[in-house]
Amino acid sequence: MNIIFVEPSFPANQRRFVHALASVGANVYGIGETDEHDLDDEVLGALRGYYRVGNVTDVDQMVEAVRYFQDKVWIDALEAVVESHTMTAAQVREACGIPGTSVRTTWLCRDKPSMKEALRQAGVPTAASAAVDSAAEARAFAEREGYPLILKPRAGAGAQGTVRVDSDHDLEQALAAYGREGQSSIAIEEFVEGHEGFYDTITLDGHVVHDWATHYYPNVLEAMRHRWISPQFITTNRIDEPGNAFYAEVRDLGRRVIEALGIETSATHMEWFFGPKGLKFSEIGARPPGVGAWDVYSAANDVDVYREWAHVITHGAPEQQMQRSYAAGIVALRPDRDGAVTGYSGIDEIRSRYGEWIIDGHFPPVGHGTQAVEAGYMANAWVRLRHPDFDTARAMLDDVGGTIHMHAG
Protein backbone atom coordinates (compact mmCIF):
# COMPACT_ATOMS: atom_id res chain seq x y z
CA MET A 1 0.00 0.00 0.00
CA ASN A 2 0.99 3.58 -0.63
CA ILE A 3 0.13 5.65 2.45
CA ILE A 4 0.50 9.37 3.04
CA PHE A 5 1.27 10.30 6.64
CA VAL A 6 0.65 13.83 7.88
CA GLU A 7 3.53 15.55 9.69
CA PRO A 8 6.04 12.68 10.06
CA SER A 9 8.56 14.45 12.31
CA PHE A 10 6.69 16.68 14.78
CA PRO A 11 5.88 16.06 17.53
CA ALA A 12 8.74 13.61 18.05
CA ASN A 13 6.60 10.49 18.58
CA GLN A 14 5.18 10.90 15.05
CA ARG A 15 8.15 8.95 13.74
CA ARG A 16 6.88 5.89 15.64
CA PHE A 17 3.87 5.76 13.32
CA VAL A 18 6.00 6.30 10.22
CA HIS A 19 8.43 3.52 11.14
CA ALA A 20 5.57 1.19 12.03
CA LEU A 21 3.99 1.65 8.60
CA ALA A 22 7.32 1.10 6.85
CA SER A 23 8.07 -1.95 9.00
CA VAL A 24 4.95 -3.78 7.79
CA GLY A 25 5.74 -3.09 4.13
CA ALA A 26 3.85 0.12 3.38
CA ASN A 27 5.33 2.75 1.08
CA VAL A 28 5.10 5.87 3.25
CA TYR A 29 4.94 9.39 1.83
CA GLY A 30 5.13 12.33 4.21
CA ILE A 31 3.54 15.77 4.13
CA GLY A 32 4.78 18.19 6.76
CA GLU A 33 5.82 21.72 7.62
CA THR A 34 9.52 20.95 8.20
CA ASP A 35 12.05 21.51 5.43
CA GLU A 36 13.15 18.16 4.02
CA HIS A 37 16.83 18.86 4.72
CA ASP A 38 15.93 19.37 8.41
CA LEU A 39 14.38 15.89 8.73
CA ASP A 40 16.67 13.44 10.48
CA ASP A 41 18.06 10.44 8.62
CA GLU A 42 15.85 8.05 10.59
CA VAL A 43 12.66 9.68 9.32
CA LEU A 44 13.94 10.18 5.78
CA GLY A 45 14.99 6.55 5.63
CA ALA A 46 11.42 5.44 6.28
CA LEU A 47 9.85 7.71 3.64
CA ARG A 48 9.52 7.10 -0.10
CA GLY A 49 8.82 10.78 -0.66
CA TYR A 50 8.18 14.04 1.13
CA TYR A 51 6.30 17.25 0.34
CA ARG A 52 6.60 20.40 2.41
CA VAL A 53 3.60 22.65 3.03
CA GLY A 54 3.33 25.86 4.99
CA ASN A 55 0.43 24.58 7.11
CA VAL A 56 -0.81 20.99 7.42
CA THR A 57 -4.24 22.26 8.50
CA ASP A 58 -4.74 24.27 5.29
CA VAL A 59 -6.98 22.17 3.04
CA ASP A 60 -5.88 23.77 -0.24
CA GLN A 61 -2.19 23.25 0.51
CA MET A 62 -2.82 19.67 1.58
CA VAL A 63 -4.88 18.88 -1.53
CA GLU A 64 -2.05 20.21 -3.70
CA ALA A 65 0.46 18.02 -1.84
CA VAL A 66 -1.70 14.90 -2.06
CA ARG A 67 -2.32 15.38 -5.77
CA TYR A 68 1.43 15.73 -6.29
CA PHE A 69 1.81 12.19 -4.99
CA GLN A 70 -1.32 10.94 -6.78
CA ASP A 71 0.22 12.02 -10.07
CA LYS A 72 3.06 9.59 -9.38
CA VAL A 73 1.50 6.61 -7.51
CA TRP A 74 -1.87 5.28 -6.44
CA ILE A 75 -2.56 6.49 -2.90
CA ASP A 76 -4.42 3.95 -0.75
CA ALA A 77 -4.69 5.88 2.50
CA LEU A 78 -4.05 9.23 4.17
CA GLU A 79 -3.34 8.99 7.91
CA ALA A 80 -3.34 11.75 10.52
CA VAL A 81 -2.99 10.93 14.22
CA VAL A 82 -2.86 14.42 15.79
CA GLU A 83 -6.28 15.76 16.87
CA SER A 84 -5.82 19.14 15.17
CA HIS A 85 -4.91 17.45 11.87
CA THR A 86 -7.85 15.05 11.64
CA MET A 87 -10.51 17.34 10.13
CA THR A 88 -8.22 18.63 7.40
CA ALA A 89 -7.20 15.06 6.61
CA ALA A 90 -10.85 14.01 6.30
CA GLN A 91 -11.64 16.93 3.99
CA VAL A 92 -8.62 16.14 1.83
CA ARG A 93 -9.57 12.46 1.61
CA GLU A 94 -12.99 13.36 0.29
CA ALA A 95 -11.58 15.95 -2.14
CA CYS A 96 -8.99 13.50 -3.50
CA GLY A 97 -11.06 10.30 -3.50
CA ILE A 98 -9.09 8.49 -0.79
CA PRO A 99 -10.96 6.11 1.52
CA GLY A 100 -10.82 6.58 5.29
CA THR A 101 -12.50 8.38 8.17
CA SER A 102 -15.17 10.69 6.76
CA VAL A 103 -15.76 14.38 7.37
CA ARG A 104 -19.04 13.52 9.13
CA THR A 105 -17.34 11.10 11.54
CA THR A 106 -14.47 13.49 12.16
CA TRP A 107 -16.91 16.32 12.87
CA LEU A 108 -18.82 14.18 15.35
CA CYS A 109 -15.54 13.29 17.07
CA ARG A 110 -14.45 16.94 17.24
CA ASP A 111 -17.60 18.93 18.00
CA LYS A 112 -18.51 18.00 21.54
CA PRO A 113 -22.24 18.90 21.59
CA SER A 114 -22.87 17.13 18.26
CA MET A 115 -20.89 14.14 19.51
CA LYS A 116 -22.96 13.80 22.66
CA GLU A 117 -26.25 14.21 20.82
CA ALA A 118 -25.28 11.40 18.42
CA LEU A 119 -24.34 9.20 21.38
CA ARG A 120 -27.61 9.89 23.18
CA GLN A 121 -29.57 8.99 20.06
CA ALA A 122 -27.70 5.68 19.97
CA GLY A 123 -28.57 4.98 23.61
CA VAL A 124 -25.06 5.65 24.94
CA PRO A 125 -25.32 7.39 28.35
CA THR A 126 -23.56 10.74 28.40
CA ALA A 127 -23.75 14.07 30.22
CA ALA A 128 -26.47 16.60 29.42
CA SER A 129 -24.84 19.15 27.12
CA ALA A 130 -25.38 21.93 24.63
CA ALA A 131 -23.55 24.26 22.30
CA VAL A 132 -24.00 27.86 23.44
CA ASP A 133 -23.32 30.94 21.36
CA SER A 134 -24.11 33.58 23.96
CA ALA A 135 -23.91 34.26 27.68
CA ALA A 136 -27.72 34.20 27.82
CA GLU A 137 -27.80 30.63 26.46
CA ALA A 138 -25.15 29.55 28.98
CA ARG A 139 -27.12 31.10 31.85
CA ALA A 140 -30.32 29.37 30.68
CA PHE A 141 -28.52 26.00 30.59
CA ALA A 142 -27.18 26.60 34.11
CA GLU A 143 -30.64 27.47 35.39
CA ARG A 144 -32.10 24.34 33.80
CA GLU A 145 -29.39 21.81 34.78
CA GLY A 146 -27.91 23.34 37.94
CA TYR A 147 -24.30 23.46 39.13
CA PRO A 148 -21.60 22.24 38.92
CA LEU A 149 -21.09 22.51 35.17
CA ILE A 150 -18.20 21.96 32.76
CA LEU A 151 -17.32 24.47 30.02
CA LYS A 152 -14.91 23.66 27.22
CA PRO A 153 -14.05 24.59 23.62
CA ARG A 154 -16.31 22.84 21.09
CA ALA A 155 -13.28 21.26 19.42
CA GLY A 156 -10.16 20.28 21.31
CA ALA A 157 -8.20 17.43 22.83
CA GLY A 158 -8.17 16.22 26.41
CA ALA A 159 -8.79 18.73 29.17
CA GLN A 160 -7.37 21.66 27.21
CA GLY A 161 -9.42 24.78 27.92
CA THR A 162 -11.82 22.90 30.20
CA VAL A 163 -13.25 24.77 33.19
CA ARG A 164 -15.49 23.67 36.05
CA VAL A 165 -17.96 26.28 37.35
CA ASP A 166 -19.85 25.97 40.64
CA SER A 167 -21.83 29.22 40.77
CA ASP A 168 -23.22 32.10 38.75
CA HIS A 169 -20.09 34.07 39.61
CA ASP A 170 -17.81 31.27 38.30
CA LEU A 171 -19.88 31.06 35.13
CA GLU A 172 -19.57 34.77 34.40
CA GLN A 173 -15.81 34.69 34.96
CA ALA A 174 -15.40 31.67 32.67
CA LEU A 175 -17.53 33.22 29.92
CA ALA A 176 -15.48 36.42 30.12
CA ALA A 177 -12.25 34.40 29.79
CA TYR A 178 -13.56 32.54 26.72
CA GLY A 179 -14.60 35.89 25.26
CA ARG A 180 -11.09 37.27 25.69
CA GLU A 181 -9.76 34.21 23.86
CA GLY A 182 -12.12 34.85 20.95
CA GLN A 183 -14.31 31.80 21.56
CA SER A 184 -17.69 32.61 20.01
CA SER A 185 -19.24 29.21 20.69
CA ILE A 186 -18.48 26.80 23.52
CA ALA A 187 -19.72 23.48 24.87
CA ILE A 188 -21.46 23.40 28.24
CA GLU A 189 -22.45 20.23 30.08
CA GLU A 190 -23.42 18.82 33.43
CA PHE A 191 -20.61 17.79 35.73
CA VAL A 192 -20.58 14.00 36.01
CA GLU A 193 -19.47 12.75 39.41
CA GLY A 194 -17.41 9.58 39.47
CA HIS A 195 -14.15 7.84 38.65
CA GLU A 196 -12.62 8.74 35.27
CA GLY A 197 -10.86 6.55 32.73
CA PHE A 198 -10.62 5.85 29.04
CA TYR A 199 -11.27 3.04 26.60
CA ASP A 200 -9.01 2.86 23.54
CA THR A 201 -9.31 0.66 20.48
CA ILE A 202 -7.97 -0.11 17.06
CA THR A 203 -10.86 -0.84 14.74
CA LEU A 204 -11.09 -2.52 11.34
CA ASP A 205 -14.19 -1.88 9.22
CA GLY A 206 -16.06 -0.82 12.35
CA HIS A 207 -15.07 -3.86 14.43
CA VAL A 208 -12.72 -3.74 17.42
CA VAL A 209 -9.56 -5.80 16.89
CA HIS A 210 -7.56 -4.45 19.86
CA ASP A 211 -8.71 -2.67 23.00
CA TRP A 212 -7.48 -1.37 26.37
CA ALA A 213 -9.18 0.02 29.48
CA THR A 214 -7.25 2.62 31.47
CA HIS A 215 -7.90 4.48 34.73
CA TYR A 216 -7.00 8.00 35.87
CA TYR A 217 -5.95 8.61 39.50
CA PRO A 218 -7.17 11.23 40.35
CA ASN A 219 -9.56 12.60 37.71
CA VAL A 220 -8.00 14.90 35.14
CA LEU A 221 -9.48 18.23 36.24
CA GLU A 222 -8.34 17.68 39.81
CA ALA A 223 -4.90 16.57 38.62
CA MET A 224 -4.48 19.70 36.49
CA ARG A 225 -5.42 22.07 39.33
CA HIS A 226 -3.02 21.10 42.11
CA ARG A 227 0.78 21.08 42.00
CA TRP A 228 1.17 18.69 44.95
CA ILE A 229 -0.64 15.88 43.12
CA SER A 230 1.50 13.37 41.22
CA PRO A 231 -1.22 12.15 38.83
CA GLN A 232 -1.14 8.81 37.12
CA PHE A 233 -2.98 6.65 34.67
CA ILE A 234 -2.76 2.89 34.56
CA THR A 235 -4.02 0.37 32.03
CA THR A 236 -5.55 -2.79 33.43
CA ASN A 237 -4.71 -6.36 32.48
CA ARG A 238 -8.06 -7.54 33.88
CA ILE A 239 -10.20 -6.52 30.92
CA ASP A 240 -10.48 -10.12 29.65
CA GLU A 241 -11.36 -11.66 33.03
CA PRO A 242 -14.55 -13.73 32.76
CA GLY A 243 -17.47 -12.28 34.67
CA ASN A 244 -16.08 -8.75 34.97
CA ALA A 245 -19.33 -6.87 34.39
CA PHE A 246 -17.77 -3.39 34.45
CA TYR A 247 -15.31 -3.97 31.61
CA ALA A 248 -17.98 -5.87 29.68
CA GLU A 249 -20.17 -2.77 29.88
CA VAL A 250 -17.29 -0.50 28.85
CA ARG A 251 -16.68 -2.70 25.81
CA ASP A 252 -20.37 -2.82 24.90
CA LEU A 253 -20.77 0.95 25.06
CA GLY A 254 -17.51 1.39 23.15
CA ARG A 255 -18.85 -0.74 20.31
CA ARG A 256 -22.05 1.30 20.26
CA VAL A 257 -20.02 4.54 20.12
CA ILE A 258 -18.04 3.25 17.13
CA GLU A 259 -21.26 2.35 15.31
CA ALA A 260 -23.04 5.60 16.23
CA LEU A 261 -20.20 7.81 15.00
CA GLY A 262 -19.46 5.77 11.88
CA ILE A 263 -15.86 4.95 12.81
CA GLU A 264 -14.46 2.33 10.43
CA THR A 265 -10.70 1.59 10.33
CA SER A 266 -9.04 3.82 12.90
CA ALA A 267 -7.51 4.19 16.30
CA THR A 268 -10.01 5.50 18.85
CA HIS A 269 -9.85 7.19 22.25
CA MET A 270 -12.96 7.30 24.46
CA GLU A 271 -13.14 9.00 27.86
CA TRP A 272 -15.64 7.69 30.44
CA PHE A 273 -16.90 8.34 33.98
CA PHE A 274 -18.33 5.80 36.40
CA GLY A 275 -20.24 7.05 39.43
CA PRO A 276 -23.63 7.23 41.15
CA LYS A 277 -25.40 7.63 37.79
CA GLY A 278 -23.62 4.64 36.29
CA LEU A 279 -21.20 4.50 33.36
CA LYS A 280 -21.23 7.50 31.03
CA PHE A 281 -19.05 8.14 28.00
CA SER A 282 -17.58 11.60 27.49
CA GLU A 283 -15.07 12.71 24.83
CA ILE A 284 -14.48 10.55 21.74
CA GLY A 285 -11.53 10.77 19.37
CA ALA A 286 -10.97 8.95 16.08
CA ARG A 287 -7.24 8.97 16.75
CA PRO A 288 -4.70 7.38 19.10
CA PRO A 289 -4.57 8.55 22.72
CA GLY A 290 -1.92 11.06 23.71
CA VAL A 291 0.58 11.16 26.59
CA GLY A 292 2.45 8.07 25.39
CA ALA A 293 -0.44 5.73 26.20
CA TRP A 294 0.46 3.38 23.34
CA ASP A 295 3.98 3.02 24.82
CA VAL A 296 2.33 1.95 28.08
CA TYR A 297 0.06 -0.51 26.22
CA SER A 298 3.05 -1.93 24.35
CA ALA A 299 4.93 -2.55 27.61
CA ALA A 300 1.84 -4.04 29.26
CA ASN A 301 1.38 -6.59 26.49
CA ASP A 302 4.91 -7.14 25.11
CA VAL A 303 3.46 -6.13 21.75
CA ASP A 304 4.36 -3.13 19.57
CA VAL A 305 0.99 -1.35 19.42
CA TYR A 306 2.21 1.09 16.74
CA ARG A 307 3.07 -1.87 14.52
CA GLU A 308 -0.33 -3.42 15.22
CA TRP A 309 -2.03 -0.21 14.08
CA ALA A 310 0.09 -0.18 10.94
CA HIS A 311 -0.57 -3.86 10.24
CA VAL A 312 -4.33 -3.37 10.52
CA ILE A 313 -4.22 -0.43 8.09
CA THR A 314 -1.85 -2.07 5.64
CA HIS A 315 -2.87 -5.74 5.75
CA GLY A 316 -6.43 -5.58 7.01
CA ALA A 317 -5.77 -7.78 10.04
CA PRO A 318 -3.95 -7.71 13.38
CA GLU A 319 -0.54 -9.37 13.54
CA GLN A 320 -0.58 -10.35 17.23
CA GLN A 321 -3.03 -10.47 20.10
CA MET A 322 -2.66 -8.53 23.33
CA GLN A 323 -1.02 -10.67 26.04
CA ARG A 324 -2.42 -8.81 29.11
CA SER A 325 0.77 -9.81 30.94
CA TYR A 326 1.03 -6.65 32.99
CA ALA A 327 -0.84 -3.65 34.30
CA ALA A 328 1.23 -0.62 33.33
CA GLY A 329 1.09 3.10 33.95
CA ILE A 330 2.77 6.46 34.22
CA VAL A 331 3.09 8.84 37.17
CA ALA A 332 3.78 12.52 36.54
CA LEU A 333 6.26 14.29 38.82
CA ARG A 334 5.75 18.02 39.26
CA PRO A 335 8.35 20.59 40.39
CA ASP A 336 7.76 22.10 43.82
CA ARG A 337 7.62 25.53 42.16
CA ASP A 338 8.02 27.10 38.73
CA GLY A 339 11.49 28.09 37.59
CA ALA A 340 14.49 25.96 36.70
CA VAL A 341 15.28 22.41 37.87
CA THR A 342 17.70 22.40 40.82
CA GLY A 343 17.74 18.66 41.49
CA TYR A 344 15.88 15.51 42.50
CA SER A 345 15.54 13.33 45.57
CA GLY A 346 14.26 9.79 45.97
CA ILE A 347 15.27 8.42 42.56
CA ASP A 348 17.79 5.92 43.95
CA GLU A 349 15.27 4.66 46.52
CA ILE A 350 12.70 3.92 43.81
CA ARG A 351 15.27 2.25 41.57
CA SER A 352 16.34 -0.02 44.42
CA ARG A 353 12.74 -0.96 45.25
CA TYR A 354 11.28 -1.42 41.79
CA GLY A 355 14.13 -1.58 39.30
CA GLU A 356 12.92 -4.70 37.48
CA TRP A 357 9.43 -3.22 37.01
CA ILE A 358 10.45 0.22 35.78
CA ILE A 359 9.87 0.68 32.06
CA ASP A 360 11.56 4.07 31.71
CA GLY A 361 11.60 7.58 33.11
CA HIS A 362 12.32 11.17 32.19
CA PHE A 363 14.10 13.70 34.37
CA PRO A 364 14.89 17.11 32.81
CA PRO A 365 18.47 18.11 33.71
CA VAL A 366 19.44 20.67 36.33
CA GLY A 367 19.00 24.15 34.89
CA HIS A 368 16.20 23.10 32.55
CA GLY A 369 13.10 25.29 32.74
CA THR A 370 10.00 23.79 34.31
CA GLN A 371 6.55 23.74 32.74
CA ALA A 372 3.26 24.69 34.33
CA VAL A 373 1.13 22.06 36.06
CA GLU A 374 -1.60 22.35 33.44
CA ALA A 375 0.88 21.46 30.67
CA GLY A 376 0.14 17.78 31.23
CA TYR A 377 1.43 14.44 32.43
CA MET A 378 4.69 14.43 30.45
CA ALA A 379 5.49 18.15 30.75
CA ASN A 380 8.12 17.72 33.45
CA ALA A 381 9.50 14.51 35.01
CA TRP A 382 7.74 11.15 34.87
CA VAL A 383 8.21 7.41 35.48
CA ARG A 384 6.51 4.50 33.74
CA LEU A 385 6.35 1.01 35.24
CA ARG A 386 4.52 -2.31 34.98
CA HIS A 387 3.66 -5.28 37.18
CA PRO A 388 1.63 -8.48 36.69
CA ASP A 389 -0.82 -7.42 39.43
CA PHE A 390 -2.92 -4.29 38.88
CA ASP A 391 -3.21 -3.36 42.57
CA THR A 392 0.53 -3.77 43.09
CA ALA A 393 1.27 -1.61 40.06
CA ARG A 394 -1.04 1.10 41.44
CA ALA A 395 0.67 1.02 44.82
CA MET A 396 4.06 1.29 43.13
CA LEU A 397 2.95 4.34 41.15
CA ASP A 398 1.68 5.93 44.37
CA ASP A 399 5.02 5.23 46.03
CA VAL A 400 6.97 6.75 43.14
CA GLY A 401 4.81 9.88 43.29
CA GLY A 402 5.33 10.22 47.02
CA THR A 403 9.06 9.40 47.09
CA ILE A 404 10.61 11.19 44.12
CA HIS A 405 10.65 14.96 44.41
CA MET A 406 11.52 17.40 41.66
CA HIS A 407 13.09 20.57 43.03
CA ALA A 408 13.09 23.91 41.25
CA GLY A 409 14.10 27.48 41.98
Side-chain angles (χ1 to χ4, degrees), residues 9 13 67 98 107 145 211 237 243 245 291 318 324 339 345 359 365:
S9 66
N13 71 319
R67 286 180 174 158
I98 301 171
W107 168 254
E145 299 295 337
D211 65 349
N237 56 344
V291 204
R324 316 292 188 195
S345 57
I359 301 167

Side-chain angles (χ1 to χ4, degrees), residues 56 59 91 132-133 146 175 190 212 250 273 323 360 374 406:
V56 294
V59 174
Q91 292 170 321
V132 295
D133 300 315
L175 293 174
E190 69 170 317
W212 306 268
V250 169
F273 289 87
Q323 302 300 310
D360 56 8
E374 58 269 20
M406 181 181 186

Side-chain angles (χ1 to χ4, degrees), residues 104-409:
R104 174 187 178 275
T105 292
T106 305
W107 168 254
L108 290 175
C109 289
R110 297 266 299 154
D111 186 74
K112 294 170 173 57
S114 301
M115 172 197 304
K116 288 182 170 59
E117 180 58 30
L119 296 184
R120 282 192 287 269
Q121 290 181 5
V124 176
T126 188
S129 63
V132 295
D133 300 315
S134 69
E137 291 179 355
R139 295 182 193 114
F141 184 92
E143 184 175 350
R144 183 171 66 251
E145 299 295 337
Y147 294 103
L149 297 171
I150 297 294
L151 279 62
K152 58 183 73 173
R154 290 187 65 169
Q160 186 176 14
T162 300
V163 178
R164 171 177 165 162
V165 297
D166 295 285
S167 66
D168 290 344
H169 175 71
D170 289 351
L171 177 63
E172 296 304 324
Q173 284 195 317
L175 293 174
Y178 282 121
R180 288 192 295 271
E181 294 169 2
Q183 297 276 0
S184 59
S185 181
I186 61 171
I188 186 169
E189 61 187 53
E190 69 170 317
F191 174 78
V192 178
E193 181 183 355
H195 170 61
E196 185 179 5
F198 49 99
Y199 177 62
D200 293 336
T201 78
I202 296 174
T203 63
L204 173 65
D205 297 329
H207 300 284
V208 175
V209 295
H210 290 307
D211 65 349
W212 306 268
T214 306
H215 300 261
Y216 286 115
Y217 298 101
N219 290 359
V220 175
L221 276 182
E222 183 181 356
M224 294 299 109
R225 284 182 169 189
H226 303 293
R227 180 184 298 278
W228 62 267
I229 293 175
S230 295
Q232 58 186 260
F233 65 74
I234 178 171
T235 190
T236 184
N237 56 344
R238 296 173 176 172
I239 191 171
D240 293 331
E241 287 182 353
N244 193 314
F246 174 72
Y247 293 127
E249 185 180 7
V250 169
R251 280 174 151 168
D252 177 61
L253 290 184
R255 285 190 288 268
R256 288 157 66 182
V257 168
I258 289 164
E259 181 178 358
L261 301 185
I263 297 171
E264 295 179 348
T265 299
S266 177
T268 74
H269 177 64
M270 313 182 202
E271 302 270 347
W272 51 258
F273 289 87
F274 180 73
K277 296 181 181 180
L279 180 64
K280 291 194 176 188
F281 271 46
S282 179
E283 310 304 325
I284 312 297
R287 55 164 176 82
V291 204
W294 273 12
D295 299 324
V296 172
Y297 299 163
S298 296
N301 293 278
D302 288 322
V303 171
D304 185 341
V305 172
Y306 296 88
R307 183 179 169 94
E308 283 301 306
W309 166 83
H311 202 274
V312 167
I313 291 170
T314 305
H315 298 285
E319 186 175 38
Q320 300 185 62
Q321 294 302 312
M322 295 299 115
Q323 302 300 310
R324 316 292 188 195
S325 304
Y326 304 94
I330 180 173
V331 56
L333 305 169
R334 271 79 175 269
D336 53 9
R337 70 199 69 194
D338 291 327
V341 178
T342 59
Y344 299 89
S345 57
I347 294 176
D348 291 341
E349 295 174 50
I350 290 300
R351 283 176 175 159
S352 66
R353 285 203 283 270
Y354 306 128
E356 65 178 307
W357 306 117
I358 294 173
I359 301 167
D360 56 8
H362 172 70
F363 299 94
V366 170
H368 193 279
T370 66
Q371 295 194 57
V373 169
E374 58 269 20
Y377 289 70
M378 303 184 86
N380 292 288
W382 47 263
V383 172
R384 297 190 287 208
L385 54 79
R386 66 182 185 177
H387 192 275
D389 180 71
F390 178 88
D391 294 321
T392 302
R394 266 214 69 200
M396 290 163 58
L397 289 168
D398 285 343
D399 192 21
V400 172
T403 301
I404 298 179
H405 298 284
M406 181 181 186
H407 307 289

Side-chain angles (χ1 to χ4, degrees), residues 50-71:
Y50 181 77
Y51 192 104
R52 182 187 177 276
V53 295
N55 184 349
V56 294
T57 64
D58 184 290
V59 174
D60 291 338
Q61 292 183 46
M62 291 294 291
V63 166
E64 179 182 327
V66 168
R67 286 180 174 158
Y68 168 83
F69 289 121
Q70 285 181 317
D71 286 342

Side-chain angles (χ1 to χ4, degrees), residues 26-91:
N27 300 317
V28 189
Y29 300 86
I31 300 176
E33 298 173 7
T34 304
D35 287 332
E36 185 170 352
H37 68 265
D38 289 331
L39 298 176
D40 63 40
D41 292 340
E42 189 180 9
V43 172
L44 282 174
L47 296 175
R48 292 295 185 95
Y50 181 77
Y51 192 104
R52 182 187 177 276
V53 295
N55 184 349
V56 294
T57 64
D58 184 290
V59 174
D60 291 338
Q61 292 183 46
M62 291 294 291
V63 166
E64 179 182 327
V66 168
R67 286 180 174 158
Y68 168 83
F69 289 121
Q70 285 181 317
D71 286 342
K72 302 178 183 304
V73 296
W74 178 267
I75 297 298
D76 297 283
L78 169 66
E79 295 297 329
V81 296
V82 174
E83 177 78 19
S84 59
H85 300 166
T86 56
M87 178 54 76
T88 302
Q91 292 170 321

